[in-house]
Structures are given as structure tokens and as C-alpha cells.
Amino acid sequence: MSDYLYERVAAGIQTQIEQGTYAPGERLPGVRKLRRQYGVSVATAVAACELLEQREILEARPRSGFYVRGRARHATAPPEVSAEETPGPSLVSGQERVLELVQAHHDPDLMSLGAAVPDAGFLPGAALDRSFARVRRRARRRIAGYDFPPGSSELRVQVARRMADAGCSTGPDELVVTSGCQEALVLSLRAVANPGEVVAIESPTFYGILQAIESLGMRALEIATDPADGMIPDALAHALRTWPIRACVMMPSFGNPLGHLAPPARKAALVALLREHGVPLIEDDVYGELAFNSVRPWAAKAYDEDGDVLYCSSFSKTLGAGLRVGWVAPGRYRDRVMYLKYAGSQASPTVTTLAVADYLEQGGYERHLRRARRRYERQVRRFVDAIGRHFPEGTRVTRPRGGFVIWVQLPRSTDAVILQQRARAVGISIAAGPIFSSSGRYRDCLRLNCAHPWTDTVADAVARLGTIARELHREGIS
Amino acid sequence: MSDYLYERVAAGIQTQIEQGTYAPGERLPGVRKLRRQYGVSVATAVAACELLEQREILEARPRSGFYVRGRARHATAPPEVSAEETPGPSLVSGQERVLELVQAHHDPDLMSLGAAVPDAGFLPGAALDRSFARVRRRARRRIAGYDFPPGSSELRVQVARRMADAGCSTGPDELVVTSGCQEALVLSLRAVANPGEVVAIESPTFYGILQAIESLGMRALEIATDPADGMIPDALAHALRTWPIRACVMMPSFGNPLGHLAPPARKAALVALLREHGVPLIEDDVYGELAFNSVRPWAAKAYDEDGDVLYCSSFSKTLGAGLRVGWVAPGRYRDRVMYLKYAGSQASPTVTTLAVADYLEQGGYERHLRRARRRYERQVRRFVDAIGRHFPEGTRVTRPRGGFVIWVQLPRSTDAVILQQRARAVGISIAAGPIFSSSGRYRDCLRLNCAHPWTDTVADAVARLGTIARELHREGIS
């Protein structure tokens, strides 16, 4: 709950709007009425409305008051849980083509809405510059040498402090520094499973997880996942009884691509269920710090009693993907993970690790995060609104409460893979659904990265996507 | 051949000393005689002697002339090729303990002669600082984002230019940037072989190669290797006929731990032999730039006709191990290596890659290398001399012509593993032989890292090692 009265009033009004008490286009009661309803001063009521204006939930009309912003030509419902029967475990294939998708991110002629990379403008570049300069000055001899696993204690101390916010009492000695979250995931998978063995995953899931599984020759098993609340415990329980599952990978907080958030009780239930079956959980929490309402959700690792959860994260989404500074809290697999890190690349670069540790020590990270959360919230709202305006009727979209990706489900018989091809032809890159599945599902879905400044170019690109999608939809039903 | 007359004269004198024309402790002919012998000016003869004094081959005694430096209490011969029969392929085990060895490098109370890490004083720290500052200033937006495989074209262009010096016409598009040479080796192994399959290696070999093989569940097959000239073609040919070898890994230029240099004809023969059997060669050339005589040897890759050689290297030994900037020229396995890099860690840090590219563009690297080569040559000589003075009679030692590691073979029945334990107890870390073997050989051998400034502390440490070795030798024969 927020510390400021006006934020609490704003939250109340926002709830009323979300519940339909005030519909898009309607005028909100005047500030005097709001004042009485919430028992606050006029100034507080005005501040609350201005906050909602800033968040683009309300718009002020001169001499008339505050109106609920016109959202969409039609309401966009959330995507449905895939009703298809879960197929059995399968070797993952075809993930090589994702490299092409992400390489498109470097193409200056493409508007890249595909790769989930935050725009540099959303990152603390200048402060990081100062940290790099500082560590190069202070620790030149040290940064010339290897930062052997587990990696610099300075970074591990800073990370351990942050882990406490996620409900985890993980000490510095329980952490291993990695080259981003992807390496943490791969090391964790290698520590707990062998080629040919079965790994349970969310459906849809982050393609990086599929690539890790594919490149290690393991088999993936998709578990039904609610687009709002995450992996469904009953579906996981059924799978655990049916298949020889050796590990489970999930992103329970603002997961990619759904942006879902598993409620605390569900996280606890999933952890308990896996422990009961002796299956380690690999948790990817790379978006966990980006809760829009500023309340950082507890990680699944918070419910881990015996060290069965291998928690993976990084600073890629908050400080910069190009830093490749991540970590893993591998629970009782620490020694194995540490050795695999060493055998795989000896160490991570010393300078980037120490620079991030220095940046965190300086103390500006919380302020930066607060700002980033507000910006990502606004971005996601803008993208969702624009989809409502431009995409064909029947389009469904997730409404994440953190992170910066959204998952769009096109109306029946509209093919997102063709949408991707046609969009590419006009200079827009998106990520069509099948790369988020080990069984080729989600041809009607796509993921969009909302972490771009909302320029005319971006607005035009989303409108353009909507036009193509409407064309495809018409072709499909004709 | 050197461009300077005095260097040529110095080389001539050095050869005479090495051939025994002048023995340690003997006085060299006066400069007037040298002048006549070599047909040069007195100034040139003096300059030649001063160069040899600087290299610590001669010493000047006031009012008496130049003397050949007293080398050793007894001559140290090179180690012999292991006469034992090559055992069959075996799963590698026990390499986890090497992590302990290298972590000792961070212990301020230990004199670390174990890990092969160059002292920061031998690296161009200030120039790299400037490159880091420059790229952070110029490319802040870009360095925030992923440098997806194959990695920055700036670095690949610079590396391609250097590859030409190694006899390889490898273009920028044929290179993939990696996190140091270790990641390059692991990606290469994964690209060409599967768990359980057999990999041929030099004997002894760099433990990082054994760790890569162990962590991937492959089997290693040791091939007899000459401590001066590298892997023996007949031994490899015999193994290729006998075992189902899927890949071969070697360091033919100043390899670690022997410091050996395979002559050009041998490199060509090894490449041809492997091609004949359809076996890809993974070449680790991380020391290739560090030839003492300034003539950079051609890589084995230079003799590759069909893209069967996967060439791996890094800037760890010349610019800094902590940078983790390396590369691989994977020949016809490029797409596979690129995908495995992406699936394993998405990318290498953008800032370190671009900073190294900037440093190389600035043009001071060749000058730095010339200086580094001279320093490493002197270091290696000092270590070899000190071993001759302090270690028990019958000790053998390699005399590498590049790099900065030496391989010491103790007299029969002297156990280097016990030496390692006793040395550790008095605050000195060394690398005993068995970690360089997949079959536990070389208990009588150790590797020393000579890339330390030659301080009293280092000199004392080597003397102390010698004392312990003599004690062990006496115990062994009593």
C-alpha cells in the first residue's frame, strides 16, 4: 500500500474504473464530490486525478473536468488458457530461427517490437558510466584478473540485500555470478538434468528457456498456464504423475511472454508440489523488480525450504541487457553450478561485475526502479490501448501488472506467423507465437515489447500491425 | 630476422653461449675482438653485449668485461616424452578441485605460481581505461543492448586483421565473439561431438580442456606429446586407427603447460592426418602472439583447407584475463557455434567487446606485444635459472620460446602433489602435474606461471620450492 494519501485515492478511483463503475468516455465526479467520497482535501483529490491523468487513465478537458480515457473501439479481453490437450514431452526444435529475430534488433531499418530489450533511454546510463570509471580507476589491477566463481563478493552482497525484498534470506555465499540470466538458466538445467530428460515448462514460455532445453538435448513438456495467474497446479500435478519430469522451469512473476503474476498461494503450492515429487524448480525472476504497483512480489524461492529452488535473475531489464550481469542462487546445487560456470567460461568479466556492484552501492537503484516501473506501466497501457483501437475485434491481450511485454491473441483463424512476415516486409519486427512453444502452438498469438519511448513511429507501427491483422482476419473468414 | 645489426650480433653471441662455446661464469671476448669477429663497429658490439646483459644472459663486471651469467648448479635438461603406453579413452574426473587451485589466486596470503594469469603490471591498463571511457561516451545507447552473435563487427574486423599474421585468411564474417577462449573451446566441442564420444588431446594438456570435456560428459584420449615439438603425428595416427575419435583439441603454439611449439611441417601433418580421418581439429592459440623471437608462428588453422579447424583464442594473456574477450573461427561449424553461443548466454558484454575493439583500432597493440614478449622471455629465463640453482639434481624443465608457463619434471620418485601440499602450507600455490592429465599421470611434474614481476618474494618462493623438492627427493631415495 502506498505511503501517500493521494496515491491511495488514485488507486481507489482506478479500481472503480476497472470494475466498470465509470466507463471510457464518461466524466468523473467533480473534485468536491471525490473529496467527500474519500474524506480528503480538495488538493489531495486533484493530485489523485492528476496522477491518473499522468498514467493516462483520465484525461482533463478544459473547464469540464476529468474524463475516463477512451480506451478502445472495443474491449480487449485477456487471452484464454489453451484448451488443447498437453502433448507429451518432446525434443525442442527450430529455435535457431530466433537468432534471426533478435539479430533484427540491430537492423536500423527495422522497428523492433520483437526482442524484449528495454530502450537505452529507460536505463541509468550516466550513473553506470560513473561506476565504470570509478572501478577502472580504483581496481585496475584487480579487473585485469579473473573473477573466478562464485564471483565478486561486492556484487553478491548487494544482490543478497535485494533478494531479501523478494522474500529470500539468501546470503552472499549462496550466490554465483553469471553472464546474464540465460547463463544462469543453462547452468541450472545442466546441474539438475541430463540430455534426453524431461523438463516441465509454462505454456507459452520464454524462448530462451526453449533454446536452453534444445541446445542441451533435453525434452520439454508444456504445462497449461493461466495468462493472468501462471502455471496451473492441477495441470502440473497431472503431468508429474504421468511423466518422468526431472526439472521444472518457470517465470512466476511478470513472466515472459504473458506478463502473468502467480499469486503467493499459487507459488507456494507449486513449490510444495514439486518438492513432494523431488523435482527441482528453476525460477527465472528477471522481471520481478518491475511491479507497477511498487510492491515487489515474493519469489517462488521464498517458499523453498530445502534448497530445491534454483533462482535465476539478472540486471538486463533494469540496468542494461548488454552488461550480461546476472546471478543464480542454486540452493543445494551450488557446488555443481559453480564448477559448470568455471568449466564453461572460467569467469564473467571483472569490470562489468564490479561496475554493477559499485552502482548498487551508490544507492540510486531504488529511485531508478521507481521511475522505470512508472514508465513501463505507462508504456504497457499505451500499447494495450493502441491494440484495442487498431486490432480486429475479438483480439485478446494480457494486462500485465509488471514488466514490459504483452501477449496478444488474434481472433480465431488469424495467423500471427503471416502477420510477422508481412510486418517484416514493411519494416516492423514482432515475435509470433510458435517460438514460445515446444509443440508449435500459438500461431494466433504474438508478443510485443513495450519498452520503447512512445513516439509517432512506434504508434504508427502498432497501427500498421493492426491494419495487417484486420486484413488477415478478413482473409481468414472470407 | 631482426632489422637491427646489434640484435643480430646479440643473437649470434647467444647462440654461441647456448652451444657451449662460452660456459656460465666465463668471460666473453672483449668488444674489440667481437668487433672483428662480427665485422661491426665497437658501438654495435657494446650495444649487443648490453642487450644480452638486459636479457640477463651476460653480466657486466666493472673494469673486467662481460661474463656469461652463472646459470645453475647443474644443467637442466628438457622433460622426456612420457614413455608409458597411452591408456584408452576415459571419462575425465576430479577436475572440480582445480577451482580451488585458481581461487587461491585471490588469496592475498598466498604467493600464486599456480594459475596461468599474467600480472596486471604486464598489461596495458591505462590504454584500456581510455578505450573504456571512449566507448561508454560514444556508444552509450548501443552498449546498453545485446551484442548478439556473431558479435560486434568492429572487433571481428580487428581480429581478422590479426588472424592474417597467423597465416589465416579468415574474414570478419567467419568469426564469432566469445567470453574468452574457454567459452570458445566449449562451444567448439559441443558443435562437433556429443556426450560419451572420444576427444583426442595432448599429454599433458591445459586443465581447462579437461574441464570442458569432463563437464560435457565426453571421453578424453591422451596422445603422446613431445615437450618441445608438440603432439606426435605417429601417435595420433595410431590412435585414429584404434579408437572412434570425434574431435582433437590441441595448443600447437606455446601450448600450456609445456610451452611447446609444433614446427610448421608438424602442424601441417597433424591437420592433414585429421582431415584424412574426417576428424575436426579444435585449436587453442591463446599464446600464439607471445613468441619471444617476435616471429608469430602460423596457426594450425593456416593449413586448413576445408573449414575443419575450429580456431579459438582470446586477449586474456595479452590484454587481461578479466576482460573475457575471445573469439572462435569455427570453419564450417559457424552456424552451430553461433546458435550455441546464443542459447548459452545470449551475447557477450557489449562494453568489453567494444572497448577491446577500440583499443586495437588505436594501434598501440603491436608495441605493447613487443614489450610483453621481451618481458615474458626474461621472466621465463629467470624462473628456469632459479630452478637450475635451487631444485634437486636431475630436475628437468621446458625452455619455451613463447608464452609464460614452464613445465618442471622432478627427479624420479619425487612427488609433485606432496610438493604442492607442503608449498601451500608455507603460502605458495603451484599446479601439480595430475590435473593436466585425464589418467592421473605426471605426479612427478608441475607447472609454474612465470608472469610475475621478479621480486625478492618471487625469488624466495622459487628457492623455497626448490628446498622442499630437495627434501622430498632425499626422502624418496632413502
Side-chain angles (χ1 to χ4, degrees):
Chain A
M1 183 58 79
S2 166
D3 289 341
Y4 293 100
L5 195 52
Y6 77 98
E7 288 187 352
R8 273 190 250 165
V9 175
I13 297 171
Q14 188 171 341
T15 303
Q16 289 183 296
I17 293 167
E18 281 167 3
Q19 290 169 342
T21 308
Y22 302 102
E26 279 192 298
R27 183 175 172 279
L28 211 67
V31 286
R32 270 159 241 284
K33 183 158 180 202
L34 289 174
R35 180 200 153 179
R36 282 193 305 276
Q37 284 184 340
Y38 287 92
V40 296
S41 70
V42 169
T44 300
V46 169
C49 290
E50 285 176 350
L51 181 63
L52 292 172
E53 189 192 358
Q54 196 187 319
R55 290 188 186 161
E56 301 189 354
I57 289 164
L58 298 179
E59 57 183 328
R61 294 189 192 159
R63 284 180 302 278
S64 173
F66 288 97
Y67 285 74
V68 179
R69 274 178 69 97
R71 268 292 166 77
R73 301 188 311 165
H74 44 77
T76 45
E80 292 163 316
V81 180
S82 179
E84 291 171 59
E85 187 62 29
T86 307
S90 60
L91 285 168
V92 182
S93 66
Q95 284 287 326
E96 285 93 342
R97 66 174 184 263
V98 180
L99 187 52
E100 245 177 85
L101 165 78
V102 298
Q103 281 168 335
H105 200 75
H106 291 319
D107 185 340
D109 296 332
L110 271 184
M111 174 72 242
S112 170
L113 303 178
V117 185
D119 185 85
F122 294 168
L123 305 170
L128 275 170
D129 280 356
R130 289 192 293 274
S131 288
F132 267 93
R134 216 165 8 236
V135 302
R136 286 213 61 92
R137 202 165 54 235
R138 282 193 198 149
R140 191 191 286 170
R141 291 190 70 80
R142 181 163 164 212
I143 63 181
Y146 291 102
D147 182 31
F148 289 117
S152 98
S153 61
E154 289 92 332
L155 183 69
R156 288 183 290 112
V157 165
Q158 294 295 324
V159 167
R161 291 179 190 173
R162 303 206 64 77
M163 292 287 293
D165 294 340
C168 305
S169 56
T170 313
D173 289 347
E174 298 171 79
L175 301 171
V176 180
V177 177
T178 61
S179 185
C181 191
Q182 183 72 15
E183 190 184 54
L185 288 169
V186 169
L187 296 174
S188 296
L189 274 169
R190 292 180 64 195
V192 303
N194 294 309
E197 292 183 340
V198 179
V199 180
I201 55 172
E202 291 164 322
S203 180
T205 197
F206 169 48
Y207 47 68
I209 293 169
L210 293 172
Q211 286 149 17
I213 292 172
E214 176 184 51
S215 67
L216 297 172
M218 297 173 185
R219 289 182 296 155
L221 178 64
E222 293 184 74
I223 309 293
T225 301
D226 185 297
D229 295 337
M231 190 180 280
I232 296 168
D234 282 352
L236 178 62
H238 176 73
L240 285 165
R241 286 190 303 268
T242 314
W243 305 104
I245 294 172
R246 286 303 294 264
C248 177
V249 189
M250 66 173 75
M251 304 183 72
S253 300
F254 317 123
N256 175 356
L258 294 173
H260 61 280
L261 174 62
R266 182 171 291 198
K267 281 179 183 156
L270 290 165
V271 169
L273 186 57
L274 288 165
R275 184 174 50 230
E276 201 180 297
H277 288 264
V279 174
L281 171 61
I282 299 170
E283 178 179 23
D284 178 343
D285 193 38
V286 78
Y287 294 95
E289 303 254 40
L290 293 176
F292 297 156
N293 66 0
S294 303
V295 180
R296 196 236 191 282
W298 275 21
K301 174 85 175 166
Y303 307 95
D304 178 25
E305 288 170 16
D306 303 314
D308 295 321
V309 178
L310 300 94
Y311 173 100
C312 305
S313 192
S314 82
F315 295 102
S316 292
K317 308 307 178 186
T318 54
L319 297 184
L323 290 166
R324 312 309 303 124
V325 175
W327 70 95
V328 50
R332 56 199 183 81
Y333 301 95
R334 175 178 172 273
D335 286 353
R336 181 75 185 143
V337 164
M338 208 157 72
Y339 174 62
L340 289 172
K341 164 70 184 171
Y342 173 62
S345 62
Q346 309 245 319
S348 294
T350 316
V351 66
T352 47
T353 309
L354 291 182
V356 170
D358 179 88
Y359 171 81
L360 295 171
E361 269 171 53
Q362 300 299 315
Y365 188 48
E366 279 301 335
R367 202 169 55 244
H368 162 68
L369 274 184
R370 279 197 296 276
R371 191 152 169 261
R373 288 166 179 147
R374 282 200 302 273
R375 298 181 74 171
Y376 290 137
E377 177 176 26
R378 200 183 314 161
Q379 288 300 116
V380 164
R381 191 188 317 281
R382 280 165 164 160
F383 271 79
V384 170
D385 284 357
I387 285 164
R389 278 195 296 278
H390 300 293
F391 275 56
E393 192 161 352
T395 296
R396 292 164 170 270
V397 60
T398 53
R399 293 175 178 279
R401 287 179 282 164
F404 48 71
V405 296
I406 54 173
W407 181 249
V408 181
Q409 186 180 20
L410 299 171
R412 194 175 296 273
S413 82
T414 313
D415 190 322
V417 176
I418 302 178
L419 174 63
Q420 177 175 286
Q421 290 157 358
R422 294 200 190 168
R424 178 79 188 227
V426 298
I428 305 166
S429 148
I430 61 166
I435 57 171
F436 300 92
S437 163
S438 60
S439 57
R441 295 176 181 202
Y442 306 113
R443 266 192 93 90
D444 56 343
C445 294
L446 59 132
R447 185 194 69 182
L448 293 178
N449 171 28
C450 305
H452 293 277
W454 186 258
T455 59
D456 287 351
T457 315
V458 172
D460 288 351
V462 178
R464 193 84 183 250
L465 285 177
T467 306
I468 303 172
R470 287 204 307 277
E471 286 165 13
L472 283 172
H473 183 50
R474 278 195 302 273
E475 291 169 23
I477 56 176
S478 66
Chain B
M1 182 56 80
S2 167
D3 289 341
Y4 294 100
L5 195 52
Y6 76 97
E7 288 187 353
R8 274 190 252 166
V9 174
I13 297 171
Q14 187 171 341
T15 304
Q16 289 184 297
I17 293 168
E18 281 166 4
Q19 290 169 340
T21 309
Y22 300 103
E26 278 192 300
R27 183 176 172 279
L28 210 67
V31 286
R32 270 158 240 287
K33 182 157 184 203
L34 288 173
R35 180 199 153 179
R36 282 194 304 277
Q37 282 183 342
Y38 287 93
V40 295
S41 70
V42 167
T44 299
V46 169
C49 290
E50 284 174 349
L51 180 64
L52 291 173
E53 188 192 1
Q54 196 187 317
R55 291 189 185 161
E56 303 191 352
I57 291 165
L58 297 179
E59 57 185 326
R61 296 190 191 158
R63 284 180 302 277
S64 173
F66 288 95
Y67 285 75
V68 178
R69 274 178 71 96
R71 268 290 166 79
R73 301 190 312 166
H74 44 76
T76 46
E80 291 163 319
V81 179
S82 178
E84 290 171 58
E85 187 62 28
T86 307
S90 61
L91 285 167
V92 181
S93 65
Q95 283 288 326
E96 285 94 342
R97 67 175 184 263
V98 180
L99 186 51
E100 245 177 86
L101 165 77
V102 299
Q103 281 168 335
H105 201 74
H106 291 318
D107 185 340
D109 296 332
L110 271 183
M111 175 71 241
S112 171
L113 303 177
V117 185
D119 185 86
F122 294 169
L123 304 169
L128 274 170
D129 280 356
R130 289 191 293 276
S131 288
F132 267 93
R134 215 163 11 234
V135 301
R136 286 213 61 93
R137 202 164 54 234
R138 283 192 199 151
R140 193 193 284 170
R141 292 190 68 81
R142 180 163 165 213
I143 62 180
Y146 292 102
D147 181 32
F148 288 118
S152 98
S153 60
E154 289 92 332
L155 183 68
R156 288 183 290 112
V157 165
Q158 294 296 325
V159 167
R161 290 179 190 173
R162 303 206 65 77
M163 292 286 294
D165 294 340
C168 305
S169 55
T170 311
D173 290 347
E174 298 172 80
L175 301 170
V176 180
V177 177
T178 61
S179 183
C181 191
Q182 183 72 14
E183 191 185 54
L185 288 169
V186 170
L187 296 173
S188 296
L189 273 170
R190 291 180 64 195
V192 304
N194 293 309
E197 290 182 343
V198 179
V199 180
I201 56 172
E202 292 165 322
S203 181
T205 196
F206 169 48
Y207 48 68
I209 293 168
L210 293 174
Q211 287 148 20
I213 292 171
E214 176 184 51
S215 66
L216 297 172
M218 297 173 184
R219 289 181 297 155
L221 179 64
E222 294 183 73
I223 309 294
T225 300
D226 185 297
D229 294 338
M231 192 181 277
I232 296 166
D234 282 351
L236 178 62
H238 176 73
L240 285 165
R241 287 191 303 268
T242 314
W243 305 103
I245 294 172
R246 286 301 295 264
C248 177
V249 189
M250 67 174 75
M251 304 184 73
S253 299
F254 317 122
N256 175 356
L258 294 171
H260 61 279
L261 174 62
R266 182 171 291 201
K267 282 179 182 154
L270 290 165
V271 170
L273 186 57
L274 288 165
R275 183 173 53 231
E276 200 180 298
H277 289 263
V279 174
L281 171 62
I282 299 170
E283 177 179 24
D284 177 343
D285 194 37
V286 78
Y287 294 94
E289 302 255 40
L290 294 175
F292 299 154
N293 65 0
S294 304
V295 180
R296 196 235 191 283
W298 275 23
K301 175 85 175 167
Y303 307 96
D304 179 24
E305 287 170 16
D306 303 315
D308 295 321
V309 178
L310 301 94
Y311 174 100
C312 306
S313 192
S314 81
F315 295 103
S316 292
K317 308 305 179 189
T318 54
L319 297 183
L323 291 165
R324 312 308 303 128
V325 174
W327 71 94
V328 48
R332 56 200 182 81
Y333 302 95
R334 175 178 172 272
D335 287 351
R336 181 78 187 140
V337 164
M338 207 158 70
Y339 174 64
L340 289 172
K341 164 70 184 170
Y342 173 63
S345 62
Q346 308 245 318
S348 293
T350 315
V351 65
T352 46
T353 310
L354 291 182
V356 169
D358 179 89
Y359 171 81
L360 295 171
E361 268 171 54
Q362 299 299 317
Y365 188 48
E366 279 301 335
R367 202 169 53 245
H368 161 68
L369 275 183
R370 279 197 297 276
R371 192 153 169 260
R373 288 167 179 147
R374 279 199 304 272
R375 297 181 74 170
Y376 291 137
E377 178 176 25
R378 199 183 315 162
Q379 287 301 114
V380 165
R381 190 189 318 280
R382 280 165 165 160
F383 271 80
V384 170
D385 284 356
I387 286 165
R389 274 195 298 276
H390 300 293
F391 274 57
E393 190 160 356
T395 297
R396 291 164 170 269
V397 61
T398 54
R399 294 175 179 277
R401 287 178 284 163
F404 48 71
V405 294
I406 54 173
W407 181 248
V408 182
Q409 185 179 20
L410 300 172
R412 191 175 300 272
S413 82
T414 313
D415 191 321
V417 177
I418 301 176
L419 174 62
Q420 178 174 287
Q421 289 157 359
R422 292 198 190 169
R424 178 82 187 226
V426 298
I428 304 165
S429 149
I430 61 166
I435 58 171
F436 300 92
S437 163
S438 60
S439 57
R441 295 176 181 201
Y442 306 115
R443 266 193 92 93
D444 55 343
C445 295
L446 59 133
R447 185 194 70 183
L448 292 177
N449 172 29
C450 306
H452 292 278
W454 186 257
T455 59
D456 287 350
T457 316
V458 172
D460 287 351
V462 179
R464 193 85 182 252
L465 285 177
T467 306
I468 302 172
R470 287 204 307 277
E471 285 165 13
L472 282 171
H473 184 50
R474 277 196 301 272
E475 292 168 23
I477 55 175
S478 68

